[in-house]
Each structure stands twice: as structure tokens, then as C-alpha cells.
């Protein structure tokens, strides 16, 4: 999709880490492709007293090519307003600036409000956008909301209620950047574009699913946020459960936003919400400890020396749906693990009545590697070349061929373009968020109310042994 778009972006949190690392480079990529060109402007807002010139210099610095004419022309579309989101007066100034830029760049009233700030401000921003008439009557008004959407089901419901007073669900784009990743988007193509996978995608043929989101980085500069979140809220509630929904949803009636959403909601609703005893049996929480020259979590800046925050979660999920009942979904995510790896392994059941049973055949495994390198492969068994009849495993590379040598777009670039085009297929609907929180809340509450220990794992490992035992008890092991 390369239709030209016109919009005024208003970024709340314009001086923040996300804006600099992800949003400005993503907008620049759209600019270089000509998708946003003349008829766009960006207002960055935050409290610090920057000038437009300083802001433009910061934007340039955030780009992969900083000193080119294109970068400078692009940054000239950026304006800064010092703004405390709690201060009504600031919205009056913001409105005037927005009107001026709308006219200058002939934008036609389209506005995209990006809330790249702590969620505690989302309600007040939404309210002021309406009450101070920063929304327009002659174009669209869409609000993109960063994660985390709430802290638990209750706070998410309250937040949703306060936003929905001012914006309809169709104009709310709850971002989960994993849904913008090329290989995550590939899941539906692989499942529903191939009868060989579509017809086998159920509990008669799939033995188990494994999802790994491992990171080599530690908590970095985000201690304040991470201490209130932990790996369960930071990664499981959103990214992992979104992947689970794509893997277990039924085939939608059509490839459309409404039909896909409906099936994803059903998939999340079908997740078994655990009782406290079941949480203890099916979930492991752990924290990284100093090893391999790296600090332990409790020695990191601004982390309490007795912090109970989990930096690793592994779990076994159960789905109460016709197609997935009885298929365990093993999930795992953590910081300071051996390496960055985001992957999905679909392990198929062995051939019934296998005539090669004495040869210890490898499982058929479909692997979708999301990162660091996007790849799809299928493990099969073939005859070894030569005399006799021995089998050997073979990896079939099913990776999408990049026929035009295109650079793969970053998740934020794709999602920003979707939001500009009004396509919410790759954003999360409120009901998806609600069911995800209900699932996660049960685990969090069980942990908070129980003596279930927070176990340790050394930096650079793949997590604690308890995460391996979760599978071993079922006579399985992690494929990765
Ligand atoms: N960083 C990341 O990699 C990711 C971040 N996110 C989410 O994105 C959002 C932003 O995160 P991040 O950029 O890391 O956070 P930062 O802490 O880096 O940025 C927060 C921004 O909010 C501004 N701000 C804070 N208080 C006010 C206020 N009262 N009025 C106006 N502006 C204010 C800050 O600027 P100033 O101090 O000048 O006011 C700053 O621009 C969060 O919801 C986070 O969970 C999601 C995924 C990844
Ligand atoms: O949302 C988040 O995601 C990042 C990992 O994202 P990735 O695209 O690098 O895989 C994680 O580091 C961060 O803690 C979390 O908030």
C-alpha cells in the first residue's frame, strides 16, 4: 500500500525514548517512500522547554541518515510545544498551533494523536482533546495508544471507559508492535493460505506449541516502569497472548478487520483461566542473577535490593476450544537470556503406527523465526541417500522469498501506515485486551497471595531449570 497520506501527528511524549528510537525513524521511512510528503506535520509535546530548532535537531539525530537533505527537509515538518498534559491552558495553545499547521501544510483536518506516555495520562489527554476541541470536524481523529493498556483488568476497564467517552472504538488504535512484525503477520498466511497446514492445524495433529520471546538485554533505563510491571505484564499480557490468539483462532470468514478480530477475541476467551493451585503447577517466575560479567537484576540502577519483580516467565497454557483442547502451549520470555530470539515452534504428532518406529524419527516441526532473522522452516524425515533404509531429518526452508530485494519495514512503520489508512486489523480491540488481562490477573493474584517462590537464573542462560521441568513432566522439551 503506497497511497499518499495527509495528516497532522500530535505526539504526546515527543521527547521520550519510544518517540526517538521508534516513531521518528518510522515516520522518516514513510517520508522516504513518499507516503507522507508535503501534506504532513508533526507536533511533539512534553514538559521540557525545547525550541522547534532543538526538536528538529533531536529528530535528525534519531534517524539512520542524519545529515542528508532528505533528513533535514523531513525534520523541517516538526514543531515542538512545551506542554504539561494536566494543564488545560496548554491545550489552548496546542489547538492554535494545530490549526496553523493544518492550514500551512493543507492537511484537511486529519489528526493522529499518538500517546507515547505513561498510561496514567491517557484518560486526561483524551478528555482534553475533546473538551478543548483539538479534534477536527473536517477530517479523521484517530488516537494511537501505547502499551501497557492498564495494569490489570480493572484499571484497563476504567481506562477504556474514560477513552471511549471521547473516542469511538473505531478511532482507538491500541498498539502492540509485535503485530507489526513481518513474521508475526505471516502466521495467518501460513495457516490459512495452505491446506497442508490448515487441515492439520488442530488437536488431532498438533502435539504442542512453543513460543519463546527471549532477550539478551536487561532492564536498561526502564527500572521505574519495569518494577511495576515485570515480565508477565510487560510481555505475556500483550505480545505473547496476541501470538497465541493468532495461532489458535479459527479461520475468519473473510480476511477483514472485523472477522479477524472476532476470531481473535474468541481465541483469547477460550484460554483457561487458572485457579491458584493450577498457577503453581503451570507457571514459573524467575529473576536474573549476576553471571558472565553481568549484573543481577537487584544490582541494577534504581532496583530495590529485595525486589520481587520477575524478569522471566514460563508457563503452560490450555485452550478450551474444539480445535485446541488438549494441546499445551508452552510460553517463555525473559531478560538477560542467552540471546535475542523470538520464535514459534509447532510440533506435530508422530505418525500413528509408524513403520520406522525403531529409528527414533525426528518430529515434524514448523518453526517461525521472527527475530533476529525472519525465517520459516519445516522439519521432515527423508530417506538417507545410499544402500539400506535409514531415515534422516531435513529442514525445508519455507522463508518468504524477497523477490524485489525489498527492505523489510520496521513494525512501527507498518503500524503507523495502517493507522493512517484507518486499518485496525493489526491493533488490539478492547475485548482482546480485556480477556488477556483476565487470564494474566489470575496468575498475578496467585503469585501475590502465595508462597510460590521467585526462582533464580544466571544471566546468559535460557532461564531456570524449573522452566525445563514444566515440559519434562509432560515428557517434552523446549525445541529451542
Ligand atoms: N521505550 C520503549 O521501548 C517502549 C515504550 N512503550 C510505551 O511507550 C510509552 C512511552 O514510553 P517511553 O518513551 O519509553 O517513556 P519515556 O519515559 O522515555 O517518555 C515519557 C514522555 O512523557 C513525557 N511526560 C512525562 N510526564 C509528562 C507530563 N505531565 N506532561 C507532558 N509530558 C510528560 C516526557 O517528557 P518530559 O519529561 O519532557 O515531560 C517524555 O517525553 C509508555 O507507555 C511505554 O510503556 C512501549 C513499548 C516499548
Ligand atoms: O514491549 C516491549 O517489547 C520489548 C521487546 O521488543 P522487541 O521488538 O525488541 O522484541 C521489550 O524489551 C520491552 O521490555 C517491552 O516493553
Amino acid at each position: 500500500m503506497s497511497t499518499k497520506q495527509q495528516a497532522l501527528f500530535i505526539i504526546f511524549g515527543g521527547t521520550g525514548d519510544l518517540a526517538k528510537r521508534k516513531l521518528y525513524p518510522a515516520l522518516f521511512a514513510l517520508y522516504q517512500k513518499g507516503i507522507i510528503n508535503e501534506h504532513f506535520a508533526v507536533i511533539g509535546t512534553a514538559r521540557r522547554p525545547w525550541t522547534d530548532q532543538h526538536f528538529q535537531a533531536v529528530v535528525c539525530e534519531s534517524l539512520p541518515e542524519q545529515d542528508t537533505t532528505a533528513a533535514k527537509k523531513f525534520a523541517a515538518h516538526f514543531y515542538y510545544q512545551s506542554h504539561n498534559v494536566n494543564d488545560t491552558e496548554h491545550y489552548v495553545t496546542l489547538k492554535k498551533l494545530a490549526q496553523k499547521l493544518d492550514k500551512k501544510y493543507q492537511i484537511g483536518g486529519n489528526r493522529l494523536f499518538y500517546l507515547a506516555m505513561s498510561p496514567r495520562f491517557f484518560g486526561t489527554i483524551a478528555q482534553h482533546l475533546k473538551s478543548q476541541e483539538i479534534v477536527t470536524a473536517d477530517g479523521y481523529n484517530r488516537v494511537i495508544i501505547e502499551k501497557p493498556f492498564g495494569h490489570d483488568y480493572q484499571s484497563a476497564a476504567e481506562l477504556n471507559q474514560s477513552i471511549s467517552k471521547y473516542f469511538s472504538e473505531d478511532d482507538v488504535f491500541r498498539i502492540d508492535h509485535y503485530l507489526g512484525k513481518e513474521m508475526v503477520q505471516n502466521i495467518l498466511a501460513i495457516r490459512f493460505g495452505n491446506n497442508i497446514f490448515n487441515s492439520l492445524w488442530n488437536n488431532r495433529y498438533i502435539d504442542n506449541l512453543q513460543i519463546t520471546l527471549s532477550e539478551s538485554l536487561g532492564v536498561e533505563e526502564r527500572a521505574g516502569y519495569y518494577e511495576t510491571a515485570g515480565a508477565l505484564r510487560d510481555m505475556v499480557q500483550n505480545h505473547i497472548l496476541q501470538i497465541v490468539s493468532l495461532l489458535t483462532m479459527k479461520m475468519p470468514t473473510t480476511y477483514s478487520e472485523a472477522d479477524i478480530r472476532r476470531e481473535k477475541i474468541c481465541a483469547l476467551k477460550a484460554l483457561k483461566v487458572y485457579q491458584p493451585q493450577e498457577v503453581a503447577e503451570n507457571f514459573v517466575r524467575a529473576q536474573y542473577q549476576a553471571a558472565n560479567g553481568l549484573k543481577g537484576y537487584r544490582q541494577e540502577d534504581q532496583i530495590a535490593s529485595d525486589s520481587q519483580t520477575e524478569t522471566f516467565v514460563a508457563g503452560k497454557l490450555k485452550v478450551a476450544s474444539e480445535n485446541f483442547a488438549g494441546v499445551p502451549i508452552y510460553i517463555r520470555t525473559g531478560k538477560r537470556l542467552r540471546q535475542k530470539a523470538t520464535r514459534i515452534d509447532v510440533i506435530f504428532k508422530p505418525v500413528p503406527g509408524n513403520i520406522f518406529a525403531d529409528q527414533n524419527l525426528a518430529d515434524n516441526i514448523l518453526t517461525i523465526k521472527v527475530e533476529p532473522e525472519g525465517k520459516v522452516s519445516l522439519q521432515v524425515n527423508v530417506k538417507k541417500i545410499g544402500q539400506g533404509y535409514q531415515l534422516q531429518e531435513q529442514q525445508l526452508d519455507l522463508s518468504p522469498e524477497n523477490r524485489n530485494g525489498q527492505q523489510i519495514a520496521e513494525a512501527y512503520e507498518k503500524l503507523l501506515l495502517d493507522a493512517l489508512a484507518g486499518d485496525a486489523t493489526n491493533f488490539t480491540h478492547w475485548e482482546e485486551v480485556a480477556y488477556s488481562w483476565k487470564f494474566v490477573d489470575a496468575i498475578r493474584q496467585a503469585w501475590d497471595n502465595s508462597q510460590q517462590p521467585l526462582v533464580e537464573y544466571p544471566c546468559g542462560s535460557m532461564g531456570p531449570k524449573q522452566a525445563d521441568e514444566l515440559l519434562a513432566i509432560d515428557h517434552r522439551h523446549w525445541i529451542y
Side-chain angles (χ1 to χ4, degrees):
M1 192 195 325
S2 58
T3 325
K4 283 194 175 175
Q5 301 287 340
Q6 48 191 63
L8 175 65
F9 299 82
I10 301 184
I11 301 183
F12 293 89
T15 60
D17 175 72
L18 182 79
K20 287 187 277 190
R21 277 195 315 109
K22 298 289 183 188
L23 304 185
Y24 304 146
L27 286 171
F28 184 56
L30 294 178
Y31 178 76
Q32 283 190 303
K33 290 178 182 164
I35 292 165
I36 49 172
N37 197 307
E38 279 148 33
H39 305 295
F40 89 98
V42 180
I43 302 177
T45 78
R47 289 166 305 179
R48 60 199 82 171
W50 285 2
T51 60
D52 288 346
Q53 287 69 23
H54 182 72
F55 184 42
Q56 289 169 6
V58 169
V59 170
C60 272
E61 271 167 35
S62 74
L63 305 180
E65 37 181 281
Q66 305 174 359
D67 277 328
T68 59
T69 316
K72 286 179 187 148
K73 276 176 79 178
F74 167 74
H77 287 251
F78 283 66
Y79 298 80
Y80 184 77
Q81 194 204 305
S82 180
H83 174 108
N84 186 328
V85 294
N86 297 314
D87 188 336
T88 304
E89 275 307 300
H90 287 173
Y91 292 88
V92 178
T93 330
L94 185 60
K95 180 181 177 181
K96 286 188 192 139
L97 179 59
Q99 284 172 333
K100 188 173 114 189
L101 296 179
D102 195 299
K103 211 164 174 187
K104 175 169 177 180
Y105 292 98
Q106 297 163 35
I107 289 171
N110 292 342
R111 298 220 170 140
L112 235 156
F113 305 101
Y114 201 116
L115 312 193
M117 294 185 60
S118 162
R120 69 179 190 280
F121 297 120
F122 295 167
T124 188
I125 299 173
Q127 181 223 322
H128 280 95
L129 292 176
K130 272 278 157 130
S131 66
Q132 298 309 306
E133 297 172 338
I134 296 170
V135 294
T136 56
D138 49 354
Y140 62 68
N141 292 279
R142 298 179 186 142
V143 55
I144 304 185
I145 300 183
E146 263 300 338
K147 67 166 269 266
F149 196 88
H151 190 66
D152 53 17
Y153 171 73
Q154 188 56 36
S155 60
E158 282 162 17
L159 175 59
N160 195 54
Q161 211 175 15
S162 65
I163 291 169
S164 59
K165 272 194 227 152
Y166 311 107
F167 289 90
S168 74
E169 178 69 24
D170 286 349
D171 290 326
V172 179
F173 290 70
R174 294 178 200 82
I175 204 161
D176 181 319
H177 74 279
Y178 270 63
L179 295 180
K181 291 183 190 266
E182 193 63 35
M183 285 297 149
V184 173
Q185 295 190 347
N186 225 323
I187 296 172
L188 298 193
I190 292 168
R191 286 192 55 192
F192 302 125
N194 300 288
N195 203 21
I196 53 167
F197 292 124
N198 184 41
S199 52
L200 301 182
W201 211 268
N202 56 54
N203 43 17
R204 273 168 292 149
Y205 300 104
I206 294 181
D207 181 78
N208 71 96
L209 299 173
Q210 298 183 12
I211 302 170
T212 298
L213 268 54
S214 83
E215 296 189 80
S216 52
L217 291 178
V219 67
E220 309 298 300
E221 258 91 72
R222 298 174 72 211
Y225 154 72
Y226 200 80
E227 275 288 88
T228 64
L232 182 70
R233 290 186 173 115
D234 188 43
M235 298 292 278
V236 178
Q237 184 273 335
N238 35 74
H239 310 321
I240 289 193
L241 292 187
Q242 282 296 315
I243 293 175
V244 167
S245 72
L246 293 170
L247 289 170
T248 61
M249 67 189 260
K250 285 195 181 146
M251 178 146 70
T253 315
T254 62
Y255 184 85
S256 66
E257 183 184 318
D259 289 342
I260 292 173
R261 275 186 166 181
R262 187 174 311 115
E263 295 306 337
K264 282 176 73 192
I265 292 167
C266 288
L268 291 165
K269 191 175 174 184
L271 283 178
K272 178 168 173 33
V273 176
Y274 287 134
Q275 297 299 316
Q277 182 52 35
E278 295 170 311
V279 172
E281 288 160 10
N282 291 294
F283 269 84
V284 172
R285 58 176 172 149
Q287 196 180 67
Y288 61 80
Q289 302 298 311
N292 297 311
L294 295 164
K295 281 185 203 165
Y297 181 70
R298 291 179 185 174
Q299 286 88 55
E300 299 272 22
D301 270 359
Q302 325 236 346
I303 301 290
S305 56
D306 59 351
S307 169
Q308 291 296 307
T309 305
E310 79 285 353
T311 60
F312 176 97
V313 176
K316 173 175 155 185
L317 281 56
K318 295 178 186 166
V319 182
S321 73
E322 184 190 355
N323 285 339
F324 274 89
V327 179
I329 305 175
Y330 300 102
I331 61 160
R332 176 173 61 153
T333 183
K335 293 202 181 281
R336 280 276 183 254
L337 295 179
R338 194 171 63 222
Q339 63 193 123
K340 173 82 183 163
T342 305
R343 61 182 275 159
I344 298 155
D345 291 289
V346 181
I347 298 99
F348 291 90
K349 290 185 174 170
V351 178
N354 182 1
I355 58 169
F356 303 112
D358 58 332
Q359 291 198 33
N360 200 13
L361 292 191
D363 289 323
N364 291 139
I365 301 175
L366 173 72
T367 298
I368 303 173
K369 290 187 186 161
V370 180
E371 260 148 11
E373 208 190 343
K375 272 191 172 297
V376 184
S377 63
L378 181 64
Q379 178 168 284
V380 295
N381 293 299
V382 294
K383 180 186 170 296
K384 245 187 211 166
I385 291 175
Q387 198 61 25
Y389 214 91
Q390 289 300 306
L391 272 67
Q392 65 177 27
E393 64 194 61
Q394 176 93 27
Q395 299 293 333
L396 302 183
D397 185 358
L398 309 180
S399 308
E401 191 186 340
N402 190 348
R403 294 199 181 115
N404 305 321
Q406 273 176 295
Q407 187 139 23
I408 310 269
E410 253 276 318
Y412 275 95
E413 177 191 336
K414 294 173 81 165
L415 295 174
L416 275 171
L417 179 51
D418 283 350
L420 282 165
D423 180 354
T425 311
N426 294 312
F427 291 81
T428 49
H429 186 271
W430 159 242
E431 283 190 76
E432 294 173 57
V433 176
Y435 285 117
S436 302
W437 273 126
K438 285 180 181 170
F439 176 79
V440 159
D441 280 355
I443 300 164
R444 188 69 258 170
Q445 278 158 19
W447 284 348
D448 290 343
N449 298 334
S450 80
Q451 304 306 315
Q452 189 185 341
L454 176 72
V455 296
E456 300 177 352
Y457 63 100
C459 290
S461 67
M462 273 312 282
K465 67 176 183 347
Q466 287 82 348
D468 299 335
E469 287 164 5
L470 258 186
L471 280 78
I473 203 167
D474 296 339
H475 309 289
R476 297 189 177 100
H477 62 275
W478 291 104
I479 298 303
Y480 174 66

